[in-house]
Amino acid sequence: MNLSISLGNLWLKNPIIIASGVFSIDSAPYFPLPDIGAVITKTITPLPREGNPSPRLWETTGGLMNSIGLQNVGLKRFIDEELPRYLELSLPIIVSISGEKEDDFPQMAEKLKDKGVSGLELNLSCPNVERGGMHFGKDAEVVKRIVREVKRASSLWVMPKLTPQAPDIVETAQAGREGGADAVSLVNTFLAMALDIKTRSSRLGTLMGGLSGPAIKPIALRMVYEVAKAVRIPVVGCGGIMTAEDALEFIIAGASAVELGTVCLLNPSVPSEILKGIKEFLREEHIGDIRQLIGSLKTSNNG
Amino acid sequence: MRGPQKAKVVEKSFIGEDVFILKLLQPFIAEECRPGQFVNVRCSPLYEPLLRRPLSIFDVDREKGEFSLLIRIVGKGTKLLSQHKEGDELDLLGPLGSAFPYNQYKNPLLIAGGIGIAPLYFLAKTVDHPTIIFGAKNKKELYTLEELREFATVLVFTEDGSEGEKGMATSKLHRLILKHDSVFACGPLGMLREVVRIAKEAEVPSFISLEERMACGFGACLGCAVKTIKGYKMLCKDGPVMRGEEVML
């Protein structure tokens, strides 16, 4: 049985990727590393960021809102102190990067190009920062420009992560491809609110946060389907995947691989469970190669 | 790998209208845990509620490989936990977080407010000749007081005077603290603020067990941020026990 997939010229032994934001180098012992196809780091920015005030989390029905705000040690300390430890995990490491200015992206790519990483995910979709983040990802022209400049600055594999806040996510995905992206990942969290009616204030330390978890899965799945149908580069699906069945839905809708985010926070063993479930499904369905399943959705009866 | 573990419910007993003790068989956690640490418990095999619930370890029986949680029902997660029966299996992560640094001090003073007794009961059982101030709104909220009295010197305060002295847990702290070289506390935020203020004045180090909304419990998501004089710290990893003087309460 073949479980390996390719995202352009990045080969993964299986389609399970740990999404940005739910894995830190110190938390690696909690994860079943041998069953993971690739790890995406928490988003790194050019300078350290202390993140947003607490509370940073709010649990909703079937979902989780967060307003972490890209807390990270900054690129220099990441390269000096954390990256060497990531590389010891013997897994493809994709570094998630973001910045406040468009120029930040190529400059970071330049500094990461010869450091042994397998690629970059461009976080053009964080809803929790005042500058940059999803404000870049909402504008297709900006997405194209940033991807193009990153590709010029390094030969690294590049995947922009798209925001569902974009007016037309297919257009932004297309812009990513035109800029030279090797793949696109979607979706990042949905901008959301929750209020305390007694204090008449936000449940979070910020007014709004990003919603993730099973509540967003059907919308994410629809967006992945639309993008995969229209854009001729590999799509990595993300948004509320909890089970093997969820992961398979994304793959059938056109995703070549999936990112697991929120689910890892409540169950870090989940990559093994999902991988096992995928294998069982392939066996039952007599499918020898997971790639046969990618984009296998039948739509003939749905008009 | 330190992933989730299964634990068997050995006993569940209600000790108040909405407070219960869950005794669990889990030899690894029973062996490893230290007072102040917590476990992050999945409340249901389904995904509702989505997140685990962080709960302080209340008591341990290492010989039997058991440990207990003292839980107050405050929402749907703890409600679901209260419905577990003997023999049920729970899924939990732990032990997690920091412990009270009890072996670095000779003569600590323990202070608990209401349900904040949870981690301090375990601590009181661990240190020699413990003295603990136990405060609550009323007699009913002095959970496990009788058991505590079997092995600790307990100074009781209730707001309504229904047991012990009438007053807050911190009412006489400025005097009581003078005989001790450290303070270990858990309770409501207002109480912890007072503990830290009084301890600072008396120049005695204080260690407080805090709460914050939490997701993973193992330092990955950076959700449970606590502001300290050294910037944001993560309650699940740098805490839940933190130095009183460093936290910006």
Side-chain angles (χ1 to χ4, degrees), chain B residues 28-35 37 57 59-60 62 67 95 122:
Chain B
F28 172 78
I29 293 175
E31 186 57 40
E32 295 283 313
C33 68
R34 288 167 299 140
Q37 290 191 297
I57 293 168
D59 197 8
V60 172
R62 292 208 163 90
F67 70 94
F122 181 14

Side-chain angles (χ1 to χ4, degrees), chain B residues 169-183:
Chain B
T170 48
S171 301
K172 300 215 165 138
L173 181 59
H174 57 285
R175 282 216 312 276
L176 295 168
I177 202 170
L178 300 174
K179 286 185 260 167
H180 296 271
D181 63 354
S182 54
V183 180

Side-chain angles (χ1 to χ4, degrees), chain A residues 22 24 27 29-32 42 50 52-59 62-63 68 71 203 242 265-267 269, chain B residues 1-2 4 47-53 96 212-216 218-223 225 227 232 234 237:
Chain A
V22 299
S24 65
S27 68
Y30 291 89
F31 287 85
K42 276 185 96 79
E50 72 161 6
N52 285 327
S54 59
R56 293 176 171 184
L57 300 169
W58 180 251
E59 189 182 43
I68 311 291
Q71 177 177 340
R203 292 286 193 179
M242 308 297 282
L265 302 181
L266 55 134
N267 182 12
S269 311
Chain B
M1 197 188 93
R2 301 202 56 182
Y47 293 113
E48 190 58 38
L50 193 65
L51 299 177
R52 291 169 184 268
R53 295 295 183 260
L96 300 167
E212 183 54 69
R213 285 184 216 143
M214 193 182 284
C216 67
F218 50 87
C221 68
L222 309 186
K227 191 131 195 162
Y232 285 117
M234 292 306 131
K237 214 165 133 269

Side-chain angles (χ1 to χ4, degrees), chain B residues 18-235:
Chain B
D18 56 355
V19 175
F20 62 101
I21 294 172
L22 212 51
K23 191 188 274 184
L24 302 165
L25 177 67
Q26 217 310 318
F28 172 78
I29 293 175
E31 186 57 40
E32 295 283 313
C33 68
R34 288 167 299 140
Q37 290 191 297
F38 67 100
V39 286
N40 212 4
V41 187
R42 199 148 157 200
C43 302
S44 138
L46 307 172
Y47 293 113
E48 190 58 38
L50 193 65
L51 299 177
R52 291 169 184 268
R53 295 295 183 260
L55 297 161
S56 287
I57 293 168
F58 161 73
D59 197 8
V60 172
D61 184 336
R62 292 208 163 90
E63 274 174 30
K64 290 188 181 163
E66 296 171 354
F67 70 94
S68 305
L69 305 171
L70 176 73
I71 306 170
R72 181 162 63 194
I73 301 173
V74 291
K76 59 185 169 187
T78 42
K79 178 84 193 162
L80 281 167
L81 285 176
S82 76
Q83 290 161 355
H84 281 288
K85 295 184 302 292
E86 221 174 274
D88 283 359
E89 221 171 46
L90 279 182
D91 173 299
L92 35 85
L93 273 168
L96 300 167
S98 62
F100 286 105
Y102 58 89
N103 44 18
Q104 293 169 29
Y105 296 92
K106 286 200 176 76
N107 186 21
L109 177 61
L110 281 52
I111 309 175
I115 197 77
I117 190 65
L120 291 188
Y121 188 94
F122 181 14
L123 179 62
K125 262 199 170 174
T126 308
V127 301
D128 295 328
H129 312 297
T131 301
I132 179 164
I133 301 175
F134 192 4
K137 280 204 180 74
N138 53 52
K139 190 177 173 175
K140 275 204 310 202
E141 294 188 10
L142 290 165
Y143 309 113
T144 67
L145 175 62
E146 289 318 307
E147 294 85 341
L148 197 60
R149 277 180 166 146
E150 287 168 21
F151 57 86
T153 306
V154 191
L155 309 166
V156 175
F157 292 84
T158 52
E159 288 175 36
D160 66 355
S162 54
E163 176 86 27
E165 274 192 60
K166 186 169 176 173
M168 313 293 279
T170 48
S171 301
K172 300 215 165 138
L173 181 59
H174 57 285
R175 282 216 312 276
L176 295 168
I177 202 170
L178 300 174
K179 286 185 260 167
H180 296 271
D181 63 354
S182 54
V183 180
F184 298 150
C186 182
L189 201 56
M191 183 197 105
L192 295 179
R193 283 201 184 106
E194 270 297 280
V195 168
V196 172
R197 186 184 66 77
I198 294 166
K200 257 190 206 166
E201 275 177 17
E203 293 179 0
V204 171
S206 60
F207 296 86
I208 56 177
S209 172
L210 291 164
E211 280 192 315
E212 183 54 69
R213 285 184 216 143
M214 193 182 284
C216 67
F218 50 87
C221 68
L222 309 186
C224 55
V226 177
K227 191 131 195 162
T228 75
I229 54 173
K230 296 175 180 168
Y232 285 117
K233 298 275 182 185
M234 292 306 131
L235 193 79

Side-chain angles (χ1 to χ4, degrees), chain A residues 27-40:
Chain A
S27 68
Y30 291 89
F31 287 85
L33 300 174
D35 287 342
I36 293 170
V39 165
I40 305 181

